[in-house]
Amino acid sequence: MDHEENEEFTEEQSKDLLAKFDPEASHRTLTGVLGWISVIGLVGFSVFQLYTAIFGVFTAQLQRSIHLAFALGLIFLLFPASKKRVKDKKRRFQVAWYDGLLALVGVYVGMYWPLNFEELVFRVGRLTTLDLIVGFLAIVLVLEATRRVVGLPITIITSIFLLYAYLGPYMPGFLQHRGLSIDRIIRSMYFTTEGILGTPLGVSATFIFLFLLFGAFLVKTGVGQYFNDLALVIAGKRVGGPAKVAIFSSALQGTISGSSVANVVTSGSFTIPMMKRLGYKKEFAGGVEAAASTGGQLMPPIMGAAAFLMVEFIGGGITYWEIAKAATIPAALYFTGIWIMTHFEAKRIGLRGLTEDEMPNRKQVLMKIYLLLPIAAVIFFLMSGTSVTRAALYAILTSIIVGAINKETRMGIGDFIDALANGARTALGVAAATAAAGMIVGVVTLTGLGLKLANSLVSLSGENILLTLFFTMIASLILGMGSPTTANYVITSTIAAPALIVLSVPELSAHMFVFYFGIVADITPPVALAAFAAAGVSGGEPLRTGVNSAKLAIAAFIIPYIFVLSPELMMIDTTWQELLWVLFTSLTGMISIGAGMIGYWYRRTYAIERIAGVAAGIMLIYPDGSTDLYGLGLFIVLLVLQFVFKRDDQDKKQVANA
């Protein structure tokens, strides 16, 4: 797709690109009777979730199975078996007969628990033939629904785990186990809370849905466009302004977006053409947006909805606010690193900021600052100890009130219904992904695979913590490829995190470590979906865009090692003095690494300076008193050299240009 002639990226192009790289966006737009049925189903889904949030959730099996019934029915209605069918205008029927049948069967399978709850509980695991059929259908339907709405990677991984459960006796070495019968697998996967109806789906059926609904209401208030306008006012006039606008806007978008790809296409269709007009290369412009948009998943308070799963998975009384607090400084360092490198790149190629004519009206933008109140509200309620469910409800109410302030964003009945429907539609992918991920967790629990893999990784590394971290990083990058944020975290935390916990790494640090690298898979070639989506917007070469995004996100490859080795970075058991020192050395280190990676500081740097800059940065970020001093010393030497040899470097450039 070449955008050289037409820099503007149209809404239709955005939709096509989103559908190409994000399966959740490739849904049917139904009309007529089927359109009404889909809207009623989506709104009913949201109403059910709001009802249980206000008046109290049902027992685990009922809450989760009704959530699943809505999700399966709507997925088969809205998502065709093939993407080609979304655009096929010649079809006589909007929905294939088998999709309608699958939707009905999906609803029945999900409602099987509520319809037979007392009998199933009374029988305590003794399954009838009908139970086994329903359980088998549940597994198959969840896998197919996940394939349609999330994609093949997680579907394949889940299928492999189910095969592993059955083929245990035939596995080699430490992977071998007694094996589970088909009956046992079906019983565990659907008739306990250790499979499809496990913790991941439970979190989707309570916290995650409400925050996705909150995001849908925020969109109705116009807050998405406001993020772009506010970013322009704050960063637009600075050197290389559009790139910094992309970073700032994507950080804000990440608070309401659960998808790196969606974030890229939403804000990138605005920021990437602007970067290109100013002089950034296509691949660099796409890399900036991809790196920043992916970082949105690491940004508190929402963190791509993974923070809520973390509370449940870590347990031990840890609160949501402790997780959000621990993620704050690493996320800030991540975005600071991208900001620094885009600044140096802009200086290196001599880019300007935006002119006054290219800027929005500053006064009008600042007068709409109240649009950020819903986000401030959710942070306030979570800080004040309000339950996550109540905080989400109050945030939704705040967004409705804020929207009513201005006539342009005031919600009518139609807007309210749209928000309910859009929130539910966004939740379909999460519901399918968490149901599939629940089966992975179930197999790991039944077979003891997590501990086996952990022990093998530790053994392979010779119990060396740095080697174990490296192997865990590779495992997380592979497991995270092509998976949405929630499923990504479930898989990596179940399979990779135990290796770190075996070596006495604090659980929160271990889970955050694998979460970071699972997310960074979105911009790490060869499977870098966020980077490829950004290349689709910029018209750049996908692999080069991926390399640029990975380079810009270098902080994400360093910071996780640091917060494992130094809990101060996550504000765990630390004093303010220690925290300030860690912040100072880390930020200084990021400046040094940024200068080394880009090859520019106050002037172009020589190769030896670039290597020394990266080395100094790593020493500064590494949590050790002696390395901090060595790194700071080398940093000061490099800074002095920048000024001492500045005139000579400029003279050489003038001679070369002549």
Side-chain angles (χ1 to χ4, degrees):
M1 192 182 298
D2 189 3
H3 304 303
E4 287 298 320
E5 296 181 6
N6 180 18
E7 291 289 345
E8 297 304 321
F9 202 70
T10 66
E11 186 177 348
E12 189 63 31
Q13 287 175 313
S14 295
K15 288 179 180 178
D16 289 345
L17 189 65
L18 197 56
K20 181 179 179 181
F21 291 104
D22 187 356
E24 293 180 43
S26 58
H27 57 78
R28 298 179 174 110
T29 301
L30 300 176
T31 57
V33 174
L34 285 176
W36 280 106
I37 290 173
S38 66
V39 170
I40 290 169
L42 289 166
V43 172
F45 196 4
S46 289
V47 169
F48 164 73
Q49 295 293 156
L50 286 170
Y51 175 84
T52 56
I54 295 168
F55 298 105
V57 297
F58 301 143
T59 57
Q61 292 95 331
L62 294 181
Q63 181 77 19
R64 298 170 190 181
S65 58
I66 295 172
H67 183 79
L68 183 67
F70 271 112
L72 290 177
L74 289 164
I75 286 170
F76 289 115
L77 196 63
L78 293 172
F79 292 83
S82 169
K83 286 184 181 181
K84 293 178 182 178
R85 293 187 67 87
V86 176
K87 287 194 167 187
D88 186 0
K89 306 293 185 184
K90 296 180 181 179
R91 288 181 296 110
R92 184 177 177 186
F93 300 105
Q94 295 180 72
V95 177
W97 67 267
Y98 52 82
D99 284 341
L101 179 62
L102 288 173
L104 291 173
V105 174
V107 172
Y108 173 73
V109 164
M111 293 302 294
Y112 192 75
W113 261 102
L115 293 172
N116 303 278
F117 181 70
E118 290 186 8
E119 187 181 345
L120 287 170
V121 171
F122 179 75
R123 284 200 262 111
V124 194
R126 294 191 301 276
L127 302 184
T128 65
T129 302
L130 180 59
D131 294 340
L132 290 172
I133 292 171
V134 169
F136 175 76
L137 286 173
I139 294 171
V140 173
L141 289 175
V142 166
L143 288 173
E144 172 58 11
T146 303
R147 184 193 68 80
R148 292 187 182 200
V149 73
V150 182
L152 270 176
I154 185 175
T155 310
I156 292 170
I157 291 172
T158 308
S159 301
I160 290 171
F161 271 81
L162 289 170
L163 284 172
Y164 172 73
Y166 181 69
L167 299 173
Y170 309 103
M171 291 292 109
F174 72 91
L175 292 174
Q176 193 174 86
H177 64 91
R178 287 187 303 172
L180 303 173
S181 67
I182 298 292
D183 287 11
R184 175 80 187 280
I185 292 172
I186 292 173
R187 181 166 65 248
S188 300
M189 291 303 108
Y190 195 59
F191 292 98
T192 71
T193 53
E194 298 295 330
I196 292 172
L197 303 181
T199 298
L201 187 66
V203 177
S204 172
T206 49
F207 312 134
I208 295 176
F209 189 101
L210 291 175
F211 276 90
L212 293 174
L213 193 58
F214 169 53
F217 274 94
L218 276 183
V219 169
K220 281 296 176 184
T221 66
V223 75
Q225 181 56 46
Y226 184 70
F227 285 157
N228 291 334
D229 292 341
L230 184 62
L232 277 169
V233 166
I234 293 173
K237 282 193 169 184
R238 299 178 183 275
V239 174
K244 293 171 181 175
V245 169
I247 296 165
F248 194 84
S249 174
S250 294
L252 291 173
Q253 290 281 3
T255 61
I256 62 172
S257 169
S259 165
S260 302
V261 174
N263 202 350
V264 165
V265 177
T266 302
S267 57
S269 58
F270 164 73
T271 59
I272 289 174
M274 193 162 52
M275 281 188 265
K276 287 169 62 183
R277 280 197 296 271
L278 219 66
Y280 279 107
K281 290 181 179 178
K282 292 181 286 188
E283 288 80 11
F284 191 86
V288 170
E289 183 57 55
S293 292
T294 299
Q297 308 304 292
L298 308 171
M299 190 73 178
I302 309 300
M303 295 169 64
F308 311 118
L309 282 163
M310 236 177 254
V311 173
E312 300 296 323
F313 272 52
I314 296 174
I318 193 167
T319 64
Y320 166 82
W321 183 245
E322 287 176 289
I323 290 170
K325 184 179 74 171
T328 299
I329 292 177
L333 287 176
Y334 176 89
F335 281 103
T336 301
I338 302 173
W339 184 286
I340 288 166
M341 280 193 266
T342 53
H343 175 78
F344 287 150
E345 175 69 8
K347 295 283 285 184
R348 186 180 72 82
I349 58 180
L351 299 184
R352 61 172 176 84
L354 296 174
T355 63
E356 191 65 39
D357 292 339
E358 296 170 306
M359 295 281 288
N361 186 298
R362 184 176 283 100
K363 185 177 179 181
Q364 289 181 1
V365 171
L366 294 178
M367 282 179 64
K368 293 182 180 179
I369 196 73
Y370 63 84
L371 287 172
L372 297 181
L373 278 175
I375 295 172
V378 76
I379 294 172
F380 169 77
F381 289 125
L382 289 169
M383 283 181 67
S384 63
T386 307
S387 70
V388 175
T389 302
R390 288 290 167 184
L393 285 172
Y394 297 154
I396 291 170
L397 182 61
T398 306
S399 67
I400 294 170
I401 294 170
V402 164
I405 293 174
N406 192 309
K407 187 178 180 180
E408 295 175 5
T409 57
R410 195 170 298 149
M411 293 176 66
I413 296 297
D415 294 320
F416 194 79
I417 290 172
D418 279 349
L420 291 174
N422 290 336
R425 189 180 291 110
T426 306
L428 295 178
V430 176
T434 50
M439 289 193 276
I440 295 173
V441 176
V443 171
V444 169
T445 303
L446 287 168
T447 61
L449 180 63
L451 190 57
K452 291 176 182 178
L453 288 173
N455 288 331
S456 66
L457 273 177
V458 171
S459 176
L460 184 65
S461 64
E463 298 190 18
N464 180 289
I465 184 66
L466 284 174
L467 273 177
T468 304
L469 287 170
F470 177 76
F471 291 140
T472 306
M473 173 190 78
I474 299 299
S476 299
L477 285 170
I478 294 170
L479 291 167
M481 287 179 179
S483 296
T485 303
T486 46
N488 191 325
Y489 167 68
V490 172
I491 296 168
T492 54
S493 64
T494 303
I495 299 171
L500 303 181
I501 295 169
V502 164
L503 290 180
S504 301
V505 171
E507 272 199 90
L508 179 54
S509 298
H511 280 252
M512 201 71 80
F513 183 91
V514 298
F515 173 59
Y516 256 68
F517 284 113
I519 293 300
V520 170
D522 274 350
I523 51 171
T524 306
V527 183
L529 292 184
F532 293 169
V537 179
S538 70
E541 201 280 317
L543 196 57
R544 287 181 186 172
T545 303
V547 171
N548 271 290
S549 61
K551 181 176 76 173
L552 287 163
I554 188 68
F557 292 90
I558 299 172
I559 291 168
Y561 285 86
I562 307 311
F563 61 57
V564 166
L565 300 171
S566 177
E568 291 91 349
L569 204 61
M570 298 175 72
M571 293 188 270
I572 299 174
D573 299 327
T574 185
T575 64
W576 280 107
Q577 293 87 343
E578 291 171 333
L579 179 60
L580 288 173
W581 177 251
V582 167
L583 275 174
F584 169 71
T585 57
S586 297
L587 288 171
T588 308
M590 286 312 307
I591 293 170
S592 190
I593 288 173
M597 294 295 291
I598 297 298
Y600 191 93
W601 201 338
Y602 289 95
R603 61 165 171 78
R604 292 179 184 272
T605 55
Y606 302 109
I608 187 65
E609 290 177 305
R610 295 183 70 171
I611 295 168
V614 173
I618 291 173
M619 284 190 283
L620 279 162
I621 294 174
Y622 186 82
D624 182 88
S626 58
T627 58
D628 284 347
L629 292 176
Y630 292 137
L632 192 58
L634 184 55
F635 177 85
I636 292 170
V637 169
L638 289 170
L639 185 59
V640 170
L641 288 174
Q642 284 285 303
F643 289 102
V644 170
F645 292 101
K646 188 174 183 181
R647 186 178 300 276
D648 290 345
D649 185 67
Q650 288 173 340
D651 290 342
K652 286 178 183 177
K653 269 202 298 186
Q654 288 173 2
V655 171
N657 291 334

